[in-house]
Amino acid sequence: MAAAAVAMMLAGMAGWAQTAPAGTSWQLVWSDEFNGPAGSLPNPTYWTYDLGTDCCGNNELETYTNSPENVHLDGLGHLDIHIENPSTGVYTSGRVKTEGLFGVEYGRIEARIKIPRGQGMWPAFWMLGNNITTVGWPACGEIDIMENVGFTPGTAYGSLHGPGGYNSTGQYQLASGALADGFHVYAVEWAADAIAFYVDGNLYETQSSGAAGWVFNVSSNPFFIILNAAVGGDWPGPPDSTTVFPQDMLVDYVRVYQAATVPAPVINMGGIVDAATFGPALAPGSLASIFGEGLATDVNAGTFDFATNAFPQSASGVQVFVNGAAAPLLFLSPTQINFAVPWDSLVGTPANVEVLLNGVLSNAVPITLTSTAPSAFGAVIETPGPYYSQNMSFIECLNMTQPYPQPGEYCTIWGNGFGPTNPALTDGTPAAASPLPWTANQCSLTIGGATANVTYCGAAPGEVIYQMNFVYPSGVQTANCAVNATITINGNAGNISMWPPFACAGP
């Protein structure tokens, strides 16, 4: 199956879930996706710099620079704030801001960030009132969308600071692991009388007006955005012997939304499923389907971009986000979108899926990914003789003489969600001619308890749907006519059911 034909194959899948009411509708008004050549500086029409040693109080230890060594694009769609320790007690880092270039008052402000780790690290995504130059701090107001200190690796802090001693802080705690283990989406939804704080779509704090010092409803006082990675200071304390340098704070994007005035696309609750089987199990790299209403304005089954040799992350005014990460698009229609789950998506924790149509954001529907979720596509294949293999739904074999596989026949399973590739493929990019992503010794297959001889496993050149070639084994056992198979790839195992049952097939 060539890459350009994948969307057409998936387009025939039908939806089934009930429609849920849309949530708050947001219109994208400003963003930086940090797409640019590796080593280039961030867009100067969006970002400027704070410079110097302890430029901004707190007894921090770093020197902020505007050197490409400390602030640059990594060429993979990220802003890299790079933290160095060139000599004992000396640290360099970056602090970028939109002051004088862009300001926001009310709306949804979010960024997808992978923070640095270790004692003494203090990354932050925050905002200050534009009037800081006239009224000073804290009278200008401060909104800390995300702060982390290295000695609490799983905790994100959201805070407000204002005049008259107004300070209020909440915190979000990961169930396990550290925030630095992967990208997370940090956001606030800001209205005149309340500010709500989110991590990965999870509301963990709401602060409301009424107290003295609430300056977050001051008319005509937009706030500017700041991204920085501090070292040391009053709160985190200095680095110690356990702190590793260099470190990086990677920012995938910053986006600003305001209330939309047009209808938003609607994703059905439960309407995000595996594109092959419509089952709920999904993994990074899986091909998935979204079902809903008003998801696109036309049908686009040919989104493959031959100029870039990849499926695009934007087509016909549509984007799909998985916890904020843009996903490759394979098929679009008003009621269905097929897409590939980004490879860097978090596993084992809820991830929100959203559709952006002409700048208007849909409701968010959570999914939880597993490390692998093997599934197989259906196939109806004519075979020689009187048999028609309508029962061969998930497997095709060469030289078949019976309506179900025989020992020794050479067969193929076409599927997705097989787990991480080695080496990893770029999102939406078909496999290159060389090297192949997997070899047979990294894959194994058992069918009805019998081990198959796997001869190839991976995505062949020009494909985004994966395949496993194998010799059908003898001694296959069935239970109630079903044949269950287990695929193991790079140590990740998953089960599929070969249905309708092969052992029950007949002429």
Side-chain angles (χ1 to χ4, degrees), residues 3 14 25 33 86 99-100 114 131 140 197 308 414 431 473:
S25 182
E33 305 293 321
E99 184 177 15
K114 184 177 182 181
N131 60 357
C140 64
F197 292 75
T308 61
W414 299 91

Side-chain angles (χ1 to χ4, degrees), residues 18-26 108 264-270 272 290-293 295 321 352-356 360-366:
Q18 295 293 316
T19 299
T24 303
S25 182
W26 296 107
R108 169 171 160 169
V266 176
I267 301 175
N268 298 344
M269 293 304 296
I272 302 168
I290 297 173
F291 295 106
E293 297 179 359
L295 302 176
F321 300 127
N352 282 325
V353 177
E354 298 165 295
V355 174
L356 188 76
V360 180
L361 200 63
S362 74
N363 57 314
V365 174

Side-chain angles (χ1 to χ4, degrees), residues 388-411:
Y388 183 75
S389 59
Q390 69 269 31
N391 290 317
M392 302 304 301
S393 296
F394 297 114
I395 184 173
E396 60 176 308
C397 302
L398 297 177
N399 303 318
M400 287 178 59
T401 58
Q402 300 291 322
Y404 49 90
Q406 300 296 307
E409 289 182 338
Y410 191 74
C411 303

